[in-house]
Amino acid sequence: MQQVETKLSARLILSVLAIGLLGFTDIMLETALNVSFPKLMATFNVTSSTVQWLTSGVILLTSMVVILSPWLKKRFTNRSQFVVATVISLIGVLIDAISNDFGWTLFGRLLQGIGGGVGMPLMYNVIFEQVPENKRGTMVGLGSLIISFAPAIGPAFGGYLTQNFGWHTVFWVVLPIQIGSLVFGWFTIRQISVVVKEKLDWLGWLLLSTFFVAGIFMIERMSTHGFTNIYSLGLFVLMLGSIVSYLLYAKHETAPLLDPRIFKFKTFSLSIAASFVTQAVNLTFNYAIPMALQIVLLKNAQVAGLTLLPGALGYALMAIVSGRLYDRFGAKLPIMIGLSLMLIGTLLMATLPISVGHMTLSFMIVQLGAGFWFGNNMTHAVSHVAVTFQSAGNSIFSATNNYSAAVGIALAAGVLAIFQKDAAGSKSALMTATQQGTSWMFRLDIILILIAAGLSLWALRVVKKPD
């Protein structure tokens, strides 16, 4: 078994880059399609609550795959995980590049979700396993930089291609990137931990998957049919029952899929809760802003994408800058800066009139804060659990961020659908309803970001060193 490096090598940096490109393409496709939803709705003759499954359905499947990460890490080498995940994703990209049917398009996107579900936790597993602790913040920042460039260029990239060449072009452009990533990773990814033939905890995986699936459908159902709807309540009972069943089941397992004992580390528990809420807020913006710009202001997909571009670029750049701050000054400074900026940006989004300029400015401030906060919140949390739990911690963060992203999209889609449901057939009524729905969504975001800030500040105050 090889030893952990005492300093960063070029090969290690390049391996993180290769794995990061898989996550990069998965998220880029997600954000590129978001700005194309109105056109896809017309192309496939589907509603906004249906078309959003091209994103939230993929995120949901990604979450179900991510929770397998601790088992995959023990059972397969880093390189074999990466190769299989990339090949599956490539097949999905090729299907979508030629598909003219909503069902086939969704199937292709789901395959891409499987690839992304393996790739994202794998990158962080490599970082926490192979990178020296005094460089960990910088490397998490680099990993976040790679992945966060996806939402930086995705909306503008998707909007431009969709507007000028059609939405299929998005997938044709991504195809060679993934092929290059596959070749790159083959030569650079290495293994330092011993691979063991451990059986998959199928029952644990099914219980956790049921929790994720029921939760997403519950959010979508509640937001469109109300909280007292019989199906909403049934899904809530199923979600609650599955997670309680898993926690009881995991207590008696010697090697559960995700060991719930990790939540005994209070810093981790609070940080993961804050991450869930913040990511949900982030994705409400990514869904609602393009919808408002195209339906209310009658802008095209390209303008909608360009509106998100400055903020997404700011997120990408701040991810690496804030990682250096973490290594030099600790978690408190970058986390406090991030929380302050996210709160200011959310307040501006909710109070300024809907316009291209106002949304561009507000979203940019939110994303600058997110760039300071997300990677450092994760590094701080995972670094303060015992080493034996760190792989599970990475998986839980990746699953939570994906799941909460799906929750955020479903929440935004549901709120807009509530206002839009009586506006069918009238363009002016649809514009008014969408404007009202967007405004209420942003007001709800203020409450959510305040909750996230409280949880994050609490996590900074209860730090204990891992065993």
Side-chain angles (χ1 to χ4, degrees), residues 25 42 54 185 199 203 234 254 262 279 356 382 395:
T25 53
L54 290 175
K199 288 184 179 180
L203 180 56
T254 54
I262 193 174
Q279 180 74 334
V356 173
V382 176
S395 300

Side-chain angles (χ1 to χ4, degrees), residues 310-383:
L313 282 172
Y315 180 104
L317 295 174
M318 289 306 104
I320 189 70
V321 170
S322 64
R324 296 294 297 273
L325 285 178
Y326 180 98
D327 287 336
R328 188 168 181 182
F329 300 107
K332 187 173 182 180
L333 178 62
I335 284 177
M336 291 291 290
I337 293 172
L339 290 174
S340 300
L341 290 172
M342 285 191 289
L343 180 57
I344 292 169
T346 304
L347 286 168
L348 291 174
M349 190 74 75
T351 55
L352 293 175
I354 292 177
S355 72
V356 173
H358 289 159
M359 285 188 159
T360 302
L361 173 64
S362 303
F363 186 70
M364 181 175 67
I365 295 173
V366 170
Q367 292 304 290
L368 287 172
F372 270 95
W373 188 82
F374 269 104
N376 291 305
N377 177 63
M378 176 183 171
T379 306
H380 178 65
V382 176
S383 295

Side-chain angles (χ1 to χ4, degrees), residues 256-337:
L257 190 61
L258 291 179
D259 196 330
R261 289 179 299 169
I262 193 174
F263 292 102
K264 291 181 179 179
F265 297 92
K266 202 167 184 180
T267 300
F268 180 86
S269 299
L270 292 167
S271 298
I272 203 76
S275 184
F276 181 95
V277 178
T278 305
Q279 180 74 334
V281 170
N282 239 10
L283 268 292
T284 64
F285 291 139
N286 276 278
Y287 183 90
I289 290 174
M291 281 288 189
L293 290 173
Q294 292 176 80
I295 296 175
V296 178
L297 301 182
L298 303 178
K299 304 297 182 181
N300 59 39
Q302 186 173 339
V303 172
L306 290 171
T307 299
L308 300 179
L309 179 61
L313 282 172
Y315 180 104
L317 295 174
M318 289 306 104
I320 189 70
V321 170
S322 64
R324 296 294 297 273
L325 285 178
Y326 180 98
D327 287 336
R328 188 168 181 182
F329 300 107
K332 187 173 182 180
L333 178 62
I335 284 177
M336 291 291 290
I337 293 172

Side-chain angles (χ1 to χ4, degrees), residues 56-66 109-111 113-114 117:
S56 34
V58 175
I59 292 172
L60 180 57
L61 185 61
T62 299
S63 300
M64 293 168 62
V65 175
V66 162
R109 290 287 294 130
L110 292 175
L111 291 179
I114 294 174

Side-chain angles (χ1 to χ4, degrees), residues 433-446:
T434 303
Q435 183 172 4
Q436 292 173 341
T438 302
S439 297
W440 277 105
M441 185 66 255
F442 293 158
R443 291 167 189 164
L444 177 59
D445 283 333
I446 295 175

Side-chain angles (χ1 to χ4, degrees), residues 4-6 26 30 50 78 136 138 144 185 250 253 255 267 276 296 304 309 366-367 371 392 412-413 415 426 440:
V4 180
E5 295 181 1
T6 56
D26 180 63
E30 172 194 320
T50 299
N78 294 334
R136 197 173 286 167
T138 299
S144 299
E253 284 293 299
T267 300
F276 181 95
V296 178
L309 179 61
V366 170
Q367 292 304 290
V415 170
S426 170
W440 277 105

